[in-house]
């Protein structure tokens, strides 16, 4: 009988840590912004936002650093929670001491074509200002944050990784730490950007519906609206840097140069290297087996270019690919990004 009782005690003790596992909660809210007044493609001024609040937030008076998450192309602002299980990862990482308690915020940065590219354009609106000013002010006003740059971080996934680095460049002094997961747009790789969109279809289209399920054409249309805007050219209000297709492809070198200089991070770096030097931490990574070798080659080169300009950074190539999820147990966010922010953000 004693043996049976002891077995029950051991079993209950084993369950106790699971039962006591602390859990944060999610809060959905909206932020109204005037940054999109006059946008030619009709951007809603009401942006949806979700925030993760760590366990103990309601019961205490502690102030927390804020990590702003920038999603990938076509991912909604809640995808990291609804699809990828980010809440469980954050709960576990905080409970295990991987990172001290923090707030994580994810907002809707989408446009009708798909992505804002986290840029400012007369066609799609001032997304840089929305992120660095309106969203930050709304979060600091709503939650118990540490409202200083040293306690704000940017975490982005793929195109969101691009947006994280870009925002640190063009809106300095707001965020102090940046981690980009497999960023795109860091520089020119092996294939030209003209190899992906269907310029004949883009030129003939009179609405987004005419592009159907042509994902590449939608992605690049969003890019052109952000970086080659033309408010006097309906229906998409953007210039196309090429025409035709295949052997008949004709490239406009002036527009192509304008696009590269406005979009690619390596082109922006010379003017903004000093801003990146002021960060408390900069880290990015990429999967070696990305099916688009462009991304691998460009990220390798960008890491070297950062060194040339004297920008401290951590860059890592790992055994991974383009489409893998990073919010998995033991994945890149838990194993790399959260410990990085634990080291670089200022906590109360």
């Amino acid at each position: 009988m004693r043996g049976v009782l002891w077995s029950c005690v051991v079993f209950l003790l084993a369950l106790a840590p699971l039962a006591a596992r602390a859990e944060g909660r999610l809060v959905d809210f909206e932020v109204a912004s005037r940054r999109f007044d006059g946008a030619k493609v009709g951007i809603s001024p009401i942006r949806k936002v979700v925030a993760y609040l760590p366990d103990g937030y309601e019961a205490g008076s502690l102030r927390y650093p804020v990590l702003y998450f920038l999603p990938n192309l076509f991912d909604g602002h809640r995808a990291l929670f609804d699809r990828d299980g980010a809440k469980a990862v954050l709960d576990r990482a905080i409970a295990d001491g991987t990172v001290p308690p923090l707030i994580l915020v994810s907002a809707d940065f989408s446009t009708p074509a798909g992505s804002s590219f986290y840029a400012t354009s007369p066609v799609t609106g001032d997304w840089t200002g929305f992120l660095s000013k309106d969203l930050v002010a709304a979060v600091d006003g709503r939650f118990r944050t540490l409202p200083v740059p040293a306690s704000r971080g940017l975490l982005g996934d793929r195109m969101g990784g691009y947006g994280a680095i870009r925002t640190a460049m063009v809106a300095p002094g707001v965020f102090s730490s940046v981690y980009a997961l497999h960023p795109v747009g860091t520089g020119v790789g092996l294939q030209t950007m003209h190899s992906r969109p269907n310029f004949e279809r883009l030129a003939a289209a009179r609405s987004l519906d005419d592009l159907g399920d042509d994902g590449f054409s939608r992605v690049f249309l969003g890019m052109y609206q952000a970086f080659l805007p033309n408010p006097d050219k309906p229906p998409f209000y953007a210039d196309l840097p090429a025409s035709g297709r295949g052997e008949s492809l004709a490239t406009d070198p002036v527009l192509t140069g304008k696009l590269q200089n406005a979009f690619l991070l390596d082109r922006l770096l010379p003017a903004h290297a000093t801003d990146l030097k002021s960060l408390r931490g900069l880290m990015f990574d990429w999967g070696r087996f990305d099916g688009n070798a462009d991304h691998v080659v460009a990220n390798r080169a960008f890491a070297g270019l950062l060194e040339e300009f004297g920008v401290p950074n951590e860059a890592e190539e790992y055994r991974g690919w383009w489409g893998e999820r990073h919010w998995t147990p033991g994945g890149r966010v838990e194993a790399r990004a959260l410990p990085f922010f634990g080291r670089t953000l200022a906590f109360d």
Side-chain angles (χ1 to χ4, degrees), residues 7-323:
S7 297
C8 292
V9 170
V10 171
F11 179 72
L12 291 173
L13 287 174
L15 288 179
L18 297 177
R21 173 72 77 178
E23 288 193 18
R25 71 183 183 95
L26 302 181
V27 177
D28 290 284
F29 60 103
E30 296 178 338
V31 174
S33 175
R34 301 298 301 273
R35 304 283 171 180
F36 313 111
D37 290 358
K40 302 296 288 187
V41 294
I43 303 296
S44 171
I46 307 300
R47 311 311 300 179
K48 294 184 180 298
V49 187
V50 60
Y52 167 90
L53 303 181
D55 177 67
Y57 176 88
E58 289 81 2
S61 59
L62 191 69
R63 289 187 172 271
Y64 300 89
V66 182
L67 184 55
Y68 290 84
F69 178 75
L70 308 184
N72 187 29
L73 292 164
F74 303 121
D75 278 353
H77 69 292
R78 285 192 59 102
L80 75 162
F81 296 113
D82 297 341
R83 183 193 65 198
D84 298 337
K87 180 179 176 299
V89 170
L90 291 166
D91 286 342
R92 182 173 55 252
I94 292 172
D96 294 346
T98 300
V99 66
L102 50 70
I103 295 171
L104 185 140
V105 171
S106 178
D108 177 13
F109 288 90
S110 66
T111 69
S115 174
S116 64
F117 287 81
Y118 304 96
T120 295
S121 160
V123 173
T124 58
D126 180 8
W127 292 95
T128 301
F130 169 71
L131 170 58
S132 63
K133 296 180 180 179
D134 298 357
L135 182 59
V136 167
V139 170
D140 285 343
R142 188 182 187 99
F143 303 110
R144 290 198 318 276
T145 69
L146 290 166
V148 293
S151 297
R152 297 191 194 106
L154 287 168
L155 171 63
D157 182 11
R158 286 163 279 202
M159 186 52 70
Y162 165 87
I165 299 175
R166 178 186 179 85
T167 301
M169 286 183 173
V170 301
V174 180
F175 308 95
S176 68
S177 303
V178 175
Y179 193 117
L181 296 154
H182 206 122
V184 300
T186 52
V188 173
L190 296 174
Q191 56 183 283
T192 68
M193 290 190 288
H194 298 154
S195 64
R196 293 304 179 100
N198 185 330
F199 288 104
E200 289 182 345
R201 191 167 186 177
L202 282 171
R206 291 296 172 262
S207 72
L208 288 174
D209 291 338
D210 292 337
L211 298 180
D213 60 354
D214 186 348
F216 280 127
S217 292
R218 282 177 174 266
V219 167
F220 280 88
L221 174 60
M223 181 186 296
Y224 304 147
Q225 289 176 335
F227 303 110
L228 290 177
N230 187 338
D232 300 320
K233 192 176 181 180
F236 297 132
Y237 304 100
D239 291 321
L240 303 182
S243 60
R245 189 165 176 80
E247 294 182 358
S248 65
L249 180 69
T251 300
D252 185 318
V254 174
L255 289 176
T256 297
K258 182 179 178 181
L259 173 64
Q260 291 183 343
N261 290 333
F263 171 57
L264 297 175
L265 295 180
D266 62 353
R267 306 297 175 90
L268 300 178
L269 181 59
H272 299 287
T274 301
D275 299 319
L276 293 184
K277 286 183 180 182
S278 68
L279 294 173
R280 293 165 63 99
L282 169 62
M283 186 169 182
F284 64 107
D285 60 31
W286 62 92
R288 182 176 305 149
F289 306 119
D290 186 334
N292 184 347
D294 241 19
H295 303 151
V296 177
V297 171
N299 280 318
R300 288 174 180 168
F302 187 62
L305 193 61
L306 287 169
E307 298 295 339
E308 288 290 329
F309 280 87
V311 178
N313 69 94
E314 301 174 60
E316 181 179 5
E317 181 173 299
Y318 60 93
R319 294 180 59 82
W321 54 94
W322 168 257

